[in-house]
Amino acid sequence: MSANSQHYYWAGGHVCMFLAGLRYLLAWVVFKGSGVSLWYKIAFVGAIVSYAIVVKKSLGYPKGSTWLRRALADENFQYFLLSCFLLVNRPVGLAIIPFWTFSTFHVATFARSTLIPKFIPPVPNPSGSGSSSPPVSKAIQFFIKKYYDPSMKVVSYVEVAIFARVLFGLLLRSNSLLTPIVYGIFLRSRYYQSPFTREAFKGIDSAILQALSHPQVGGAVPQATAYYNTLKTYLARAAGSLPAPTAPPASATAADTSSTPRASSANPAQ
């Protein structure tokens, strides 16, 4: 498969996730998700295609234990595995939001860098020297620059909320025991690989401690904070001992959004 073909398959996967995911989310937010599970499946098929192409480009074809170790430490491969797991299990509506958010930015980048230049030529500068991007390209670039980092912060909180959802779903028997285990392992990796995720955990922890310190809560349950700290200790032990996080990469801008690992990164055409 040529690099150009991979580029379009990669983009097609994101378009699939964007459109099918949007259709599913619109139904899900009005509590009509049960009749549109096919759109959920289609969306994750698109995600799998995009991530598979990225993993193949960055890691090559599967070959031996060395490849597997590299793959398991790769964020794109982790999202690829999670996409496969979510595809073959009962739908978790909340889980589509991170993937849909990533695809939104990739579709916008693909449109700006590939589609628009084919149909709208650059605008000549009034001075007569060179040309500039058409207004629609500038608008897309502005959108990406302004909303990318805030969206990644929201995604990090959503990913933590998904873990709470599947734990609660286990109590209600709406998902299997395997779902919180798999997602917990994934979230554990995200914590050590993503500064956004670490910031989300820090923010949630701070909010819980602040709520527990409220006089009404402390009066009703005097040991609430102690119980919470004990729970955190057990969770930390369950997560196991991991190396200290590496230095976080620089935040992506509109020019390098496609190189951000967590968003089905590498553009195959690059």
Side-chain angles (χ1 to χ4, degrees):
M1 184 185 298
S2 67
N4 192 54
S5 296
Q6 291 182 50
H7 174 56
Y8 281 96
Y9 279 118
W10 169 84
H14 282 301
V15 171
C16 184
M17 164 55 79
F18 175 76
L19 295 177
L22 180 62
R23 174 66 181 86
Y24 179 83
L25 286 172
L26 289 175
W28 179 72
V29 295
V30 294
F31 305 102
K32 294 182 179 180
S34 59
V36 290
S37 58
L38 177 61
W39 293 105
Y40 179 93
K41 301 291 186 183
I42 293 173
F44 276 107
V45 167
I48 290 169
V49 170
S50 292
Y51 280 103
I53 292 174
V54 171
V55 169
K56 183 264 178 185
K57 182 178 184 295
S58 60
L59 300 175
Y61 290 107
K63 186 178 181 181
S65 58
T66 301
W67 184 94
L68 183 60
R69 285 194 296 269
R70 289 178 58 210
L72 291 175
D74 183 84
E75 293 174 289
N76 286 307
F77 187 71
Q78 293 165 9
Y79 276 101
F80 169 76
L81 291 180
L82 183 63
S83 300
C84 294
F85 180 82
L86 293 170
L87 175 66
V88 299
N89 282 272
R90 294 181 66 176
V92 178
L94 202 60
I96 207 170
I97 294 177
F99 292 91
W100 184 82
T101 304
F102 302 152
S103 290
T104 298
F105 285 99
H106 280 298
V107 169
T109 301
F110 175 74
R112 181 179 66 86
S113 63
T114 304
L115 294 183
I116 291 176
K118 291 181 180 295
F119 299 101
I120 305 177
V123 180
N125 292 325
S127 62
S129 59
S131 58
S132 60
S133 301
V136 64
S137 292
K138 292 181 178 179
I140 293 173
Q141 186 176 22
F142 174 79
F143 167 81
I144 295 172
K145 281 186 174 181
K146 183 176 181 179
Y147 293 108
Y148 182 81
D149 276 2
S151 296
M152 294 304 103
K153 292 177 182 179
V154 172
V155 163
S156 296
Y157 278 92
V158 171
E159 288 181 335
V160 178
I162 293 168
F163 184 58
R165 155 64 183 84
V166 295
L167 280 177
F168 189 64
L170 181 62
L171 298 177
L172 297 180
R173 298 184 178 181
S174 62
N175 54 252
S176 67
L177 173 62
L178 188 60
T179 302
I181 293 175
V182 169
Y183 198 84
I185 294 171
F186 168 78
L187 193 61
R188 176 176 178 260
S189 296
R190 296 304 312 138
Y191 179 85
Y192 284 100
Q193 292 175 323
S194 169
F196 290 116
T197 303
R198 291 194 294 275
E199 192 64 29
F201 271 100
K202 182 179 178 181
I204 292 171
D205 179 54
S206 177
I208 292 175
L209 288 173
Q210 184 176 358
L212 293 178
S213 65
H214 193 278
Q216 291 183 346
V217 176
V221 187
Q223 299 298 318
T225 301
Y227 292 149
Y228 174 65
N229 287 329
T230 300
L231 175 62
K232 287 197 297 182
T233 300
Y234 282 123
L235 289 175
R237 290 176 181 174
S241 177
L242 290 176
T246 56
S251 297
T253 64
D256 64 3
T257 298
S258 63
S259 65
T260 305
R262 67 176 305 159
S264 182
S265 61
N267 186 327
Q270 293 176 344

